[in-house]
Every structure is written in C-alpha cells, then in structure tokens.
Amino acid sequence: MQATLVIKNIGTLVTLKGENAPRKGKLQGEIGEIENGVIAIRDDRIIHVGSGELPDVIDVTGAQIIDAGGKVVTPGLIDCHTHLVHGGSRENELAMKLDGKGYLEILASGGGIHSTARATEKASFQELYEKAYKSLDIMKSFGITTVEGKSGYGIGSFQTEIKQMEVAKKLNEDHPLRVISTFMGAHAIPMEYKDDSDKFVDIMLNEMLPKVVEMDLAKFCDVFCEEGVFSIDQSRRILLKAKELGLVPKIHADEIVSLGGAELSAEVGAISAEHLVGASEQGIKDMAKAGVVAVLLPGTSFNLGKKEPAKARLMIEEGVPVALSTDYNPGSCPTENLQFIMTLASLHLRMKPSEVITAVTMNAAAALGIEKEVGSIQVGKKADIAIFDIPNIDYMIYHFGINHNYITIKDGKIIYKK
Ligand code: NIG
Ligand code: FE
C-alpha cells in the first residue's frame, strides 16, 4: 500500500489504541505507548502503526518522511470547549478582580459576558473571523487539531448569535483546524428580560432553536446553568427542546454555585457536562451511570482565583470519563494554551500525565461525538497527530507555560512546524 507521509524514529508513540470510546476509571490512564514507533499515512488516514521499521507491504516511494528524532508523538490535541468567536477583550476586569469583585457580580452589573456581547454585536463578520482565525493559528501551533466553538455573545441579539455561528462555519471551511459549532444562546439573561427570564426561554424554544436547526448552524446546544443565569428548570426546558430538534445537549454545570447541573446533565442525556467545580457526589454518580463526559476547565478556576478544584479524582474513581479543555474565552479564561491547562489539571486536579493525555485526545473527542474518527492513532482513523519536542510525557506537564509542540499534522498534512 502506498504511503504519502511517514513518521519514523518516534521515541514514545502515544496511540490511545483500544476501543473508540471515552476512557473511564483505570482506562483513563491507559494510553497505549509504543517505544521506537513508526506511523504510515495515506492521504488523510492512518494505514500503519507499529514499532521499528515499516513492513514491506507499505510502499514509501515518493512519500514525505519525518524523522521524529526520538520525540514524543500523540494524537492531535482536541480543545472541546471554547468560546472561540467573540469581539473585544476584557483586561479592564483585571483591576476589578484584584479589588475583590466576583465574576457573577461583574456580570450582574452589566459587565462580563454582557460587555463581550456588546463588542461582538458591534464587530463585523470579517473582524470576528480574523480574530478567531488568529486564535486558531495559536491553537494549531500548540498541537491542537480540533476545536469546539460556542456562540453565546448575542445574549438578546439572535442576529449576533447567527453571525458567530456563521463565522465558525466559515472557519471550519477555511482554516486547517476542524471547528465544531455549538449554539449557546442561553449564556446570560438579556438585561431587558432580567425580571422575566422565562419569557426569554420561551423565545429560545419557539424561535431561536428551530432557526438554528433549520440553518444547520450547530451540532450541540449548551446552556449556562448557574445562579442568576439559567435555572435548573429553564436549562432542562432548553436542553430537552434542543434534543427533540436534533441538537446534542451540553451544559455549563455547577461552575460557581452547586445547583444540580451534574444531575441534570445525566437526566437529559447530555453528551458532556462542563466545569463541574461544585458537582455533588450524587451528580457525579448520575453522570457515571448515564455516561456523560466531564469536561473540566482548570484554567478557568485558576483565572477566577477559585481555590476549590473540581473533583477529578472522585470522578475517575466513580467511572466518569474526564476530558479537559481551555474554555478559551475573553472573560473567565483568556488563553489558547491547552498545554498549560494540562499542567494545571495535573497539579490542581491531581490527574496523572497519562490521564491528562487521554483527557485532551480520546475523551475530548468523545465529548464532541467524533471518537470514531479522531482522538487516537489507529489504523483507519484520521491522521491528526502532534509531535512534541520532549523526552517523555511527564516532561510536558513538568516544564510548564511554554509550547512543546514541534509539528502539527491534520488530515495527513503538516499544518504547523516550529
Ligand atoms: O465557560 N460560564 C460561562 N461562560 C464562560 C465565560 C464567558 C465569559 O466570561 O465571557 C465560561 O466560563
Ligand atoms: Fe465555557
């Protein structure tokens, strides 16, 4: 069989081989390492994964050969929770934060998400596109090959929501990274519905959701279920309606206040629940039973100055598959650096490096429902691969804050080289 790209002389090849499903419990830390690895790719697919030399049946005539020089190779990283497309930035909140103002306090006074909503409404399609394109370039340089992006800065303005999702769609077509879109119209209560938020939920159910589906703008529907934002009851109504219309439910759950979002994620059959800093033990058990992926975002806790970490160890013990993501957004986590998040996950959530790797590859793929296509280095899967200039995976966590990526490959093509 003819190869188009070969990666040889891989010090440690992290394959994540096995079942294409979220890894839970003990399996969260099983990453299928191969020493002295070699990979052959034909066009966008992996055709061989092994150790040492390639077998004779693989014809390398004319193929591009990468000598990995003993470096570490992993599946392309997947950032499964971002607020990619937005206008403006919020460095003005830093001083308020240092003065002791809380995230929800800033939001309630019309700042926070509302201020990004104003900037996003003002920005043209082209401006949003260029800003997000730049972020995708940064992510690409960090070894990321797939990114989820949420709308959610329209608040009252549905036009702005549509604009955000259309930008995400265009980015998926134009940028080398894969961009998967989520509708998050329920991200904050518009100021004009402050005293009648149920009315806004009705509009969401009867007008917005059907339109998003009709225009084919998103795969997922997410809700910010939080005190002072969308209640459990309102989140339930939105997610069940979304599901009925064919969108897959996701939920920002128990991020700041423990409301029972984890329990709700299981009840509505969400593919994932995100944040979960305040998830209850019952909620974690419910998630395990329902097979909901926990998407933990330790960069957000770090940036919001939260001391209490999400209970990652308990989740793993209880059999909840754990994924990790940046939560890249202009307010609670303004960074595209998923490698830094990996370090935070290890040090703050006490996840082992192998568990962390699973969380940003196979389990992140499962949180996006694409685990059969990406998330591991196995024959037949998409050739989305990252080569890191590190001697072993512990090193990536240990030497933090910098970019260890050397080459990013997406769909069998080199899209970034240091
Ligand atoms: O995941 N929690 C709600 N949404 C984002 C923050 C958005 C923002 O502050 O602009 C989050 O933390
Ligand atoms: Fe978020």
PDB file of all heavy atoms in Angstrom, residues 81 83 90 103 112-113 116 153 184 187 224 252 255 275 297 300 304 327 329-333, ligand 1:
ATOM      1  N   HIS A  81     -13.997  22.650  24.342  1.00  0.00           N
ATOM      2  CA  HIS A  81     -14.890  23.648  24.951  1.00  0.00           C
ATOM      3  C   HIS A  81     -14.241  25.023  24.840  1.00  0.00           C
ATOM      4  O   HIS A  81     -13.352  25.359  25.639  1.00  0.00           O
ATOM      5  CB  HIS A  81     -15.131  23.281  26.428  1.00  0.00           C
ATOM      6  CG  HIS A  81     -15.932  24.283  27.202  1.00  0.00           C
ATOM      7  ND1 HIS A  81     -16.841  23.913  28.162  1.00  0.00           N
ATOM      8  CD2 HIS A  81     -15.963  25.649  27.190  1.00  0.00           C
ATOM      9  CE1 HIS A  81     -17.393  24.983  28.700  1.00  0.00           C
ATOM     10  NE2 HIS A  81     -16.863  26.056  28.123  1.00  0.00           N
ATOM     11  N   HIS A  83     -15.029  29.385  23.622  1.00  0.00           N
ATOM     12  CA  HIS A  83     -15.938  30.439  23.166  1.00  0.00           C
ATOM     13  C   HIS A  83     -15.142  31.210  22.103  1.00  0.00           C
ATOM     14  O   HIS A  83     -14.819  32.387  22.269  1.00  0.00           O
ATOM     15  CB  HIS A  83     -16.347  31.310  24.349  1.00  0.00           C
ATOM     16  CG  HIS A  83     -17.007  30.529  25.464  1.00  0.00           C
ATOM     17  ND1 HIS A  83     -18.354  30.557  25.708  1.00  0.00           N
ATOM     18  CD2 HIS A  83     -16.482  29.657  26.384  1.00  0.00           C
ATOM     19  CE1 HIS A  83     -18.649  29.761  26.741  1.00  0.00           C
ATOM     20  NE2 HIS A  83     -17.513  29.205  27.167  1.00  0.00           N
ATOM     21  N   ARG A  90     -11.304  41.740  27.695  1.00  0.00           N
ATOM     22  CA  ARG A  90     -11.815  42.264  28.972  1.00  0.00           C
ATOM     23  C   ARG A  90     -10.708  42.490  30.008  1.00  0.00           C
ATOM     24  O   ARG A  90     -10.918  42.258  31.202  1.00  0.00           O
ATOM     25  CB  ARG A  90     -12.873  41.302  29.528  1.00  0.00           C
ATOM     26  CG  ARG A  90     -13.997  40.960  28.548  1.00  0.00           C
ATOM     27  CD  ARG A  90     -15.345  41.028  29.186  1.00  0.00           C
ATOM     28  NE  ARG A  90     -15.562  40.019  30.199  1.00  0.00           N
ATOM     29  CZ  ARG A  90     -16.080  38.791  29.977  1.00  0.00           C
ATOM     30  NH1 ARG A  90     -16.421  38.431  28.753  1.00  0.00           N
ATOM     31  NH2 ARG A  90     -16.256  37.966  30.965  1.00  0.00           N
ATOM     32  N   TYR A 103     -16.880  37.286  39.769  1.00  0.00           N
ATOM     33  CA  TYR A 103     -17.279  37.106  38.373  1.00  0.00           C
ATOM     34  C   TYR A 103     -18.778  37.356  38.179  1.00  0.00           C
ATOM     35  O   TYR A 103     -19.180  38.092  37.274  1.00  0.00           O
ATOM     36  CB  TYR A 103     -16.915  35.678  37.943  1.00  0.00           C
ATOM     37  CG  TYR A 103     -17.285  35.325  36.527  1.00  0.00           C
ATOM     38  CD1 TYR A 103     -16.483  35.707  35.458  1.00  0.00           C
ATOM     39  CD2 TYR A 103     -18.450  34.614  36.264  1.00  0.00           C
ATOM     40  CE1 TYR A 103     -16.834  35.387  34.158  1.00  0.00           C
ATOM     41  CE2 TYR A 103     -18.804  34.285  34.977  1.00  0.00           C
ATOM     42  CZ  TYR A 103     -17.995  34.672  33.920  1.00  0.00           C
ATOM     43  OH  TYR A 103     -18.352  34.348  32.633  1.00  0.00           O
ATOM     44  N   GLY A 112     -18.816  41.873  32.202  1.00  0.00           N
ATOM     45  CA  GLY A 112     -18.570  40.454  31.913  1.00  0.00           C
ATOM     46  C   GLY A 112     -19.097  40.041  30.551  1.00  0.00           C
ATOM     47  O   GLY A 112     -18.825  40.697  29.547  1.00  0.00           O
ATOM     48  N   ILE A 113     -19.865  38.968  30.532  1.00  0.00           N
ATOM     49  CA  ILE A 113     -20.406  38.439  29.274  1.00  0.00           C
ATOM     50  C   ILE A 113     -21.149  39.538  28.502  1.00  0.00           C
ATOM     51  O   ILE A 113     -21.050  39.615  27.275  1.00  0.00           O
ATOM     52  CB  ILE A 113     -21.342  37.241  29.566  1.00  0.00           C
ATOM     53  CG1 ILE A 113     -20.532  36.090  30.184  1.00  0.00           C
ATOM     54  CG2 ILE A 113     -22.039  36.762  28.297  1.00  0.00           C
ATOM     55  CD1 ILE A 113     -21.367  34.878  30.592  1.00  0.00           C
ATOM     56  N   THR A 116     -18.751  41.643  26.485  1.00  0.00           N
ATOM     57  CA  THR A 116     -18.303  40.938  25.266  1.00  0.00           C
ATOM     58  C   THR A 116     -19.446  40.876  24.244  1.00  0.00           C
ATOM     59  O   THR A 116     -19.210  40.953  23.041  1.00  0.00           O
ATOM     60  CB  THR A 116     -17.801  39.525  25.613  1.00  0.00           C
ATOM     61  OG1 THR A 116     -16.684  39.652  26.490  1.00  0.00           O
ATOM     62  CG2 THR A 116     -17.370  38.756  24.371  1.00  0.00           C
ATOM     63  N   TYR A 153     -22.583  35.109  22.578  1.00  0.00           N
ATOM     64  CA  TYR A 153     -22.369  36.530  22.856  1.00  0.00           C
ATOM     65  C   TYR A 153     -23.373  37.394  22.105  1.00  0.00           C
ATOM     66  O   TYR A 153     -23.131  38.571  21.869  1.00  0.00           O
ATOM     67  CB  TYR A 153     -20.918  36.930  22.556  1.00  0.00           C
ATOM     68  CG  TYR A 153     -19.941  36.319  23.547  1.00  0.00           C
ATOM     69  CD1 TYR A 153     -18.977  35.397  23.139  1.00  0.00           C
ATOM     70  CD2 TYR A 153     -19.997  36.646  24.898  1.00  0.00           C
ATOM     71  CE1 TYR A 153     -18.095  34.828  24.043  1.00  0.00           C
ATOM     72  CE2 TYR A 153     -19.123  36.075  25.815  1.00  0.00           C
ATOM     73  CZ  TYR A 153     -18.171  35.172  25.378  1.00  0.00           C
ATOM     74  OH  TYR A 153     -17.304  34.613  26.288  1.00  0.00           O
ATOM     75  N   MET A 184     -25.065  28.477  21.874  1.00  0.00           N
ATOM     76  CA  MET A 184     -25.188  28.758  23.302  1.00  0.00           C
ATOM     77  C   MET A 184     -25.945  30.065  23.514  1.00  0.00           C
ATOM     78  O   MET A 184     -25.466  30.968  24.229  1.00  0.00           O
ATOM     79  CB  MET A 184     -23.806  28.782  23.963  1.00  0.00           C
ATOM     80  CG  MET A 184     -23.909  28.633  25.467  1.00  0.00           C
ATOM     81  SD  MET A 184     -22.328  28.508  26.277  1.00  0.00           S
ATOM     82  CE  MET A 184     -22.875  28.408  27.982  1.00  0.00           C
ATOM     83  N   HIS A 187     -26.679  31.960  27.376  1.00  0.00           N
ATOM     84  CA  HIS A 187     -25.380  32.193  28.032  1.00  0.00           C
ATOM     85  C   HIS A 187     -25.511  33.246  29.138  1.00  0.00           C
ATOM     86  O   HIS A 187     -24.740  33.278  30.087  1.00  0.00           O
ATOM     87  CB  HIS A 187     -24.370  32.649  26.964  1.00  0.00           C
ATOM     88  CG  HIS A 187     -22.950  32.590  27.386  1.00  0.00           C
ATOM     89  ND1 HIS A 187     -21.948  33.195  26.697  1.00  0.00           N
ATOM     90  CD2 HIS A 187     -22.342  31.990  28.443  1.00  0.00           C
ATOM     91  CE1 HIS A 187     -20.787  32.985  27.292  1.00  0.00           C
ATOM     92  NE2 HIS A 187     -21.000  32.258  28.356  1.00  0.00           N
ATOM     93  N   PHE A 224     -25.766  27.929  30.052  1.00  0.00           N
ATOM     94  CA  PHE A 224     -25.050  28.307  31.278  1.00  0.00           C
ATOM     95  C   PHE A 224     -26.043  28.182  32.431  1.00  0.00           C
ATOM     96  O   PHE A 224     -26.819  29.087  32.716  1.00  0.00           O
ATOM     97  CB  PHE A 224     -24.513  29.734  31.148  1.00  0.00           C
ATOM     98  CG  PHE A 224     -23.591  30.169  32.269  1.00  0.00           C
ATOM     99  CD1 PHE A 224     -22.999  29.260  33.147  1.00  0.00           C
ATOM    100  CD2 PHE A 224     -23.269  31.516  32.428  1.00  0.00           C
ATOM    101  CE1 PHE A 224     -22.145  29.674  34.166  1.00  0.00           C
ATOM    102  CE2 PHE A 224     -22.416  31.948  33.440  1.00  0.00           C
ATOM    103  CZ  PHE A 224     -21.855  31.022  34.306  1.00  0.00           C
ATOM    104  N   HIS A 252     -23.058  23.920  30.849  1.00  0.00           N
ATOM    105  CA  HIS A 252     -22.128  24.525  31.811  1.00  0.00           C
ATOM    106  C   HIS A 252     -22.764  24.283  33.179  1.00  0.00           C
ATOM    107  O   HIS A 252     -23.757  24.932  33.516  1.00  0.00           O
ATOM    108  CB  HIS A 252     -22.004  26.030  31.577  1.00  0.00           C
ATOM    109  CG  HIS A 252     -21.076  26.420  30.469  1.00  0.00           C
ATOM    110  ND1 HIS A 252     -21.226  26.019  29.170  1.00  0.00           N
ATOM    111  CD2 HIS A 252     -19.948  27.202  30.495  1.00  0.00           C
ATOM    112  CE1 HIS A 252     -20.250  26.539  28.436  1.00  0.00           C
ATOM    113  NE2 HIS A 252     -19.462  27.261  29.208  1.00  0.00           N
ATOM    114  N   GLU A 255     -20.611  25.432  37.853  1.00  0.00           N
ATOM    115  CA  GLU A 255     -19.308  26.112  37.704  1.00  0.00           C
ATOM    116  C   GLU A 255     -18.964  26.911  38.965  1.00  0.00           C
ATOM    117  O   GLU A 255     -17.859  26.832  39.476  1.00  0.00           O
ATOM    118  CB  GLU A 255     -19.336  27.044  36.481  1.00  0.00           C
ATOM    119  CG  GLU A 255     -18.065  27.905  36.359  1.00  0.00           C
ATOM    120  CD  GLU A 255     -18.061  28.834  35.148  1.00  0.00           C
ATOM    121  OE1 GLU A 255     -18.983  28.749  34.327  1.00  0.00           O
ATOM    122  OE2 GLU A 255     -17.112  29.632  35.038  1.00  0.00           O
ATOM    123  N   HIS A 275     -17.208  22.215  33.417  1.00  0.00           N
ATOM    124  CA  HIS A 275     -16.820  22.926  34.658  1.00  0.00           C
ATOM    125  C   HIS A 275     -16.927  21.996  35.866  1.00  0.00           C
ATOM    126  O   HIS A 275     -15.929  21.497  36.331  1.00  0.00           O
ATOM    127  CB  HIS A 275     -17.666  24.193  34.891  1.00  0.00           C
ATOM    128  CG  HIS A 275     -17.347  25.306  33.965  1.00  0.00           C
ATOM    129  ND1 HIS A 275     -16.202  26.033  34.068  1.00  0.00           N
ATOM    130  CD2 HIS A 275     -18.025  25.820  32.914  1.00  0.00           C
ATOM    131  CE1 HIS A 275     -16.177  26.953  33.123  1.00  0.00           C
ATOM    132  NE2 HIS A 275     -17.272  26.839  32.402  1.00  0.00           N
ATOM    133  N   LEU A 297     -12.226  22.298  33.403  1.00  0.00           N
ATOM    134  CA  LEU A 297     -11.614  23.511  32.860  1.00  0.00           C
ATOM    135  C   LEU A 297     -10.792  24.211  33.943  1.00  0.00           C
ATOM    136  O   LEU A 297     -11.167  25.283  34.437  1.00  0.00           O
ATOM    137  CB  LEU A 297     -12.733  24.425  32.326  1.00  0.00           C
ATOM    138  CG  LEU A 297     -13.725  23.726  31.379  1.00  0.00           C
ATOM    139  CD1 LEU A 297     -15.037  24.488  31.259  1.00  0.00           C
ATOM    140  CD2 LEU A 297     -13.109  23.520  30.011  1.00  0.00           C
ATOM    141  N   THR A 300      -9.967  28.000  34.069  1.00  0.00           N
ATOM    142  CA  THR A 300     -10.998  28.938  34.500  1.00  0.00           C
ATOM    143  C   THR A 300     -10.940  29.119  36.012  1.00  0.00           C
ATOM    144  O   THR A 300     -10.975  30.242  36.516  1.00  0.00           O
ATOM    145  CB  THR A 300     -12.385  28.419  34.056  1.00  0.00           C
ATOM    146  OG1 THR A 300     -12.318  28.190  32.653  1.00  0.00           O
ATOM    147  CG2 THR A 300     -13.476  29.418  34.360  1.00  0.00           C
ATOM    148  N   LEU A 304     -10.106  32.607  37.741  1.00  0.00           N
ATOM    149  CA  LEU A 304     -11.110  33.223  38.624  1.00  0.00           C
ATOM    150  C   LEU A 304     -10.653  33.195  40.087  1.00  0.00           C
ATOM    151  O   LEU A 304     -11.359  33.656  40.973  1.00  0.00           O
ATOM    152  CB  LEU A 304     -12.469  32.518  38.488  1.00  0.00           C
ATOM    153  CG  LEU A 304     -13.186  32.615  37.132  1.00  0.00           C
ATOM    154  CD1 LEU A 304     -14.527  31.899  37.181  1.00  0.00           C
ATOM    155  CD2 LEU A 304     -13.394  34.060  36.702  1.00  0.00           C
ATOM    156  N   ASP A 327     -11.503  26.228  27.715  1.00  0.00           N
ATOM    157  CA  ASP A 327     -12.615  27.167  27.938  1.00  0.00           C
ATOM    158  C   ASP A 327     -12.250  28.526  27.355  1.00  0.00           C
ATOM    159  O   ASP A 327     -12.797  29.554  27.777  1.00  0.00           O
ATOM    160  CB  ASP A 327     -12.956  27.298  29.438  1.00  0.00           C
ATOM    161  CG  ASP A 327     -14.293  28.007  29.688  1.00  0.00           C
ATOM    162  OD1 ASP A 327     -15.100  28.096  28.747  1.00  0.00           O
ATOM    163  OD2 ASP A 327     -14.524  28.465  30.819  1.00  0.00           O
ATOM    164  N   ASN A 329     -11.968  31.939  26.347  1.00  0.00           N
ATOM    165  CA  ASN A 329     -12.972  32.998  26.218  1.00  0.00           C
ATOM    166  C   ASN A 329     -12.367  34.277  26.793  1.00  0.00           C
ATOM    167  O   ASN A 329     -11.361  34.228  27.503  1.00  0.00           O
ATOM    168  CB  ASN A 329     -14.268  32.585  26.949  1.00  0.00           C
ATOM    169  CG  ASN A 329     -14.141  32.655  28.454  1.00  0.00           C
ATOM    170  OD1 ASN A 329     -14.079  33.727  29.047  1.00  0.00           O
ATOM    171  ND2 ASN A 329     -14.063  31.485  29.104  1.00  0.00           N
ATOM    172  N   PRO A 330     -12.968  35.434  26.476  1.00  0.00           N
ATOM    173  CA  PRO A 330     -12.325  36.696  26.887  1.00  0.00           C
ATOM    174  C   PRO A 330     -12.501  37.040  28.371  1.00  0.00           C
ATOM    175  O   PRO A 330     -11.890  37.998  28.847  1.00  0.00           O
ATOM    176  CB  PRO A 330     -13.041  37.739  26.018  1.00  0.00           C
ATOM    177  CG  PRO A 330     -14.377  37.140  25.738  1.00  0.00           C
ATOM    178  CD  PRO A 330     -14.153  35.655  25.643  1.00  0.00           C
ATOM    179  N   GLY A 331     -13.319  36.264  29.092  1.00  0.00           N
ATOM    180  CA  GLY A 331     -13.580  36.620  30.484  1.00  0.00           C
ATOM    181  C   GLY A 331     -12.940  35.675  31.479  1.00  0.00           C
ATOM    182  O   GLY A 331     -11.956  36.002  32.143  1.00  0.00           O
ATOM    183  N   SER A 332     -13.476  34.465  31.549  1.00  0.00           N
ATOM    184  CA  SER A 332     -13.029  33.576  32.624  1.00  0.00           C
ATOM    185  C   SER A 332     -11.765  32.787  32.292  1.00  0.00           C
ATOM    186  O   SER A 332     -11.139  32.238  33.197  1.00  0.00           O
ATOM    187  CB  SER A 332     -14.157  32.612  33.016  1.00  0.00           C
ATOM    188  OG  SER A 332     -14.406  31.695  31.978  1.00  0.00           O
ATOM    189  N   CYS A 333     -11.383  32.726  31.013  1.00  0.00           N
ATOM    190  CA  CYS A 333     -10.131  32.023  30.685  1.00  0.00           C
ATOM    191  C   CYS A 333      -9.551  32.450  29.336  1.00  0.00           C
ATOM    192  O   CYS A 333      -9.676  31.738  28.336  1.00  0.00           O
ATOM    193  CB  CYS A 333     -10.336  30.505  30.720  1.00  0.00           C
ATOM    194  SG  CYS A 333      -8.753  29.644  30.882  1.00  0.00           S
TER     195      CYS A 333
HETATM  196  O1  NIG B   1     -17.311  28.972  30.473  1.00  0.00           O
HETATM  197  N1  NIG B   1     -19.530  30.403  32.284  1.00  0.00           N
HETATM  198  C1  NIG B   1     -19.935  30.928  31.272  1.00  0.00           C
HETATM  199  N2  NIG B   1     -19.244  31.128  30.164  1.00  0.00           N
HETATM  200  C2  NIG B   1     -17.848  31.197  30.077  1.00  0.00           C
HETATM  201  C3  NIG B   1     -17.320  32.552  30.354  1.00  0.00           C
HETATM  202  C4  NIG B   1     -17.741  33.537  29.347  1.00  0.00           C
HETATM  203  C5  NIG B   1     -17.271  34.924  29.621  1.00  0.00           C
HETATM  204  O2  NIG B   1     -16.981  35.308  30.755  1.00  0.00           O
HETATM  205  O3  NIG B   1     -17.241  35.678  28.632  1.00  0.00           O
HETATM  206  C6  NIG B   1     -17.206  30.104  30.896  1.00  0.00           C
HETATM  207  O4  NIG B   1     -16.599  30.359  31.935  1.00  0.00           O
END
